[in-house]
Amino acid sequence: FIDAVTTAYCEVAPEKLVNTLSPEIHSILTVPRTGVLSISVLLTIWSAMGGVDSIRVALNRAYDIKDTRSFWRTYGLGIIFVLGAAMILLTVAALLVFMPVILASIDRYSPGFSANFSLLDTLRVPIAILLLLLGLLAAHRFLPARKQRVRDLMPGVMITLFVWVLLALAF
């Protein structure tokens, strides 16, 4: 495999460059990197927490609320929201992107068996939209320093969800 990568690289790059980079390519493809994944996960969570914190600050400003919660409380809330949002968005992606591919594969290789998944195929989009709605509602309810009533949040959350779905369809 490594030789194939190097050979393919030789076909598009100058030989001197290939000779210089070949040992590094070999090192990247063969030497196990322990600890890199855990550091990457932590850096990803930390970066995403910055986004959650920006949303928290924006919601506090939108609702004209002064946040008096401790750093540790908002930090913990950020971690919870990053992990929760990751789970929700991965589930939505699985329902909207991967589920049709899986169902098409089942239908291709086992046509009679695919009928067992017709309810899931019918409900996958409404379930995905419901998950997005719940995630948006949770963000608007718990990220600001003061809990808002669901009744007061629903118009903004519904508009956000509607625009999100429209943009996703346009994309």
Side-chain angles (χ1 to χ4, degrees), residues 54-65 139-141 143-144:
S54 296
I55 293 169
R56 181 186 59 80
V57 169
L59 288 172
N60 280 332
R61 287 182 184 165
Y63 296 135
D64 197 26
I65 301 169
H140 281 270
R141 184 154 163 92
L143 284 179

Side-chain angles (χ1 to χ4, degrees), residues 6 32 47 57 104 112 119-120 127 137 152 164:
T6 307
S47 297
V57 169
L119 180 62
L120 179 61
I127 290 171
L137 197 57
D152 297 334
W164 194 348

Side-chain angles (χ1 to χ4, degrees), residues 7-159:
T7 303
Y9 190 54
C10 285
E11 293 175 5
V12 295
E15 187 177 338
K16 286 185 179 183
L17 183 61
V18 172
N19 291 338
T20 305
L21 294 178
S22 284
E24 289 304 315
I25 293 171
H26 187 275
S27 172
I28 289 170
L29 295 175
T30 60
V31 176
R33 311 264 188 244
T34 57
V36 173
L37 181 62
S38 58
I39 291 171
S40 299
V41 168
L42 291 176
L43 286 174
T44 301
I45 291 172
W46 180 74
S47 297
M49 282 176 50
V52 170
D53 196 51
S54 296
I55 293 169
R56 181 186 59 80
V57 169
L59 288 172
N60 280 332
R61 287 182 184 165
Y63 296 135
D64 197 26
I65 301 169
K66 179 158 176 60
D67 200 341
T68 57
R69 296 176 288 187
S70 71
F71 167 78
W72 295 109
R73 185 164 181 174
T74 57
Y75 192 77
L77 189 63
I79 291 173
I80 291 168
F81 265 87
V82 165
L83 297 175
M87 288 188 298
I88 287 173
L89 292 174
L90 285 172
T91 304
V92 168
L95 287 168
L96 297 180
V97 177
F98 298 119
M99 188 60 63
V101 173
I102 292 168
L103 292 175
S105 295
I106 290 172
D107 192 41
R108 185 176 338 126
Y109 295 112
S110 181
F113 193 65
S114 64
N116 295 329
F117 298 102
S118 63
L119 180 62
L120 179 61
D121 190 33
T122 304
L123 294 179
R124 67 184 179 81
V125 173
I127 290 171
I129 291 173
L130 179 65
L131 287 172
L132 291 174
L133 174 76
L134 292 175
L136 286 169
L137 197 57
H140 281 270
R141 184 154 163 92
F142 298 111
L143 284 179
R146 181 178 69 222
K147 288 185 181 172
Q148 307 292 325
R149 293 186 310 207
V150 173
R151 178 177 71 216
D152 297 334
L153 297 174
M154 282 311 284
V157 168
M158 292 303 291
I159 289 170

